[in-house]
Amino acid sequence: MRVPLDFSHVPEEHKDIDKMLHNWSLWVVPSSASLSCPMFRHYRSNHRQWHLPEYRETCDVLEAMKVEKMVCSLKPLLREAVVWFYVFPAPPYKAARAMFITERELHKNLQEARESLTNIRKTWL
């Protein structure tokens, strides 16, 4: 019998790096302005007169830049696992298929990437 994998479980020793990666994902995720046609990039609608503005979470930009450098220093498969989980979430089977690995390997790569980032953080700071 196969035991289901819990991708959302973060071990206690990886909590700090998980928090940093969530902050990094807020900084990395492309905005809707970058996805729009250049002609409408700076367009501002008048919706504010009917609706209260919605506030997004802010991120620590300096910390996000440090995490970006740490993520870039990872091995390619580990880096892809981190980017999949934090930036472009999709069902695990689709991500595993896109990386040509199994879901178990994807789960192992994600845990290994967090461990590597924790070690890199200790040496860089």
Side-chain angles (χ1 to χ4, degrees):
M1 181 176 164
R2 291 183 55 169
V3 178
L5 299 171
D6 185 8
F7 283 92
S8 62
H9 172 70
V10 179
E12 195 61 40
E13 61 269 11
H14 296 162
K15 293 284 185 188
D16 290 337
I17 203 69
D18 181 60
K19 183 180 174 189
M20 291 174 72
L21 286 166
H22 277 294
N23 177 57
W24 168 74
S25 71
L26 290 173
W27 180 71
V28 171
V29 171
S31 67
S32 60
S34 65
L35 302 174
S36 65
C37 177
M39 185 170 111
F40 297 108
R41 188 155 296 151
H42 298 291
Y43 170 74
R44 299 286 180 242
S45 72
N46 292 330
H47 76 281
R48 292 180 298 280
Q49 61 189 338
W50 293 288
H51 303 286
L52 291 174
E54 295 178 19
Y55 294 100
R56 288 183 41 194
E57 280 187 78
T58 57
C59 68
D60 182 0
V61 176
L62 295 177
E63 183 179 279
M65 288 180 178
K66 290 176 188 174
V67 173
E68 174 72 16
K69 287 182 181 179
M70 293 188 325
V71 169
C72 287
S73 70
L74 290 174
K75 296 177 190 175
L77 272 177
L78 302 182
R79 185 173 52 240
E80 285 182 38
V82 168
V83 170
W84 158 71
F85 188 78
Y86 291 97
V87 182
F88 300 111
Y93 73 91
K94 285 186 178 181
R97 190 182 316 150
M99 294 181 212
F100 301 107
I101 57 177
T102 65
E103 287 184 50
R104 294 219 177 272
E105 290 172 342
L106 178 62
H107 187 264
K108 186 179 78 70
N109 287 346
L110 184 60
Q111 298 300 329
E112 189 178 328
R114 287 184 187 136
E115 184 64 34
S116 296
L117 288 170
T118 303
N119 294 337
I120 291 170
R121 181 175 173 237
K122 288 177 186 173
T123 59
W124 282 15
L125 298 179

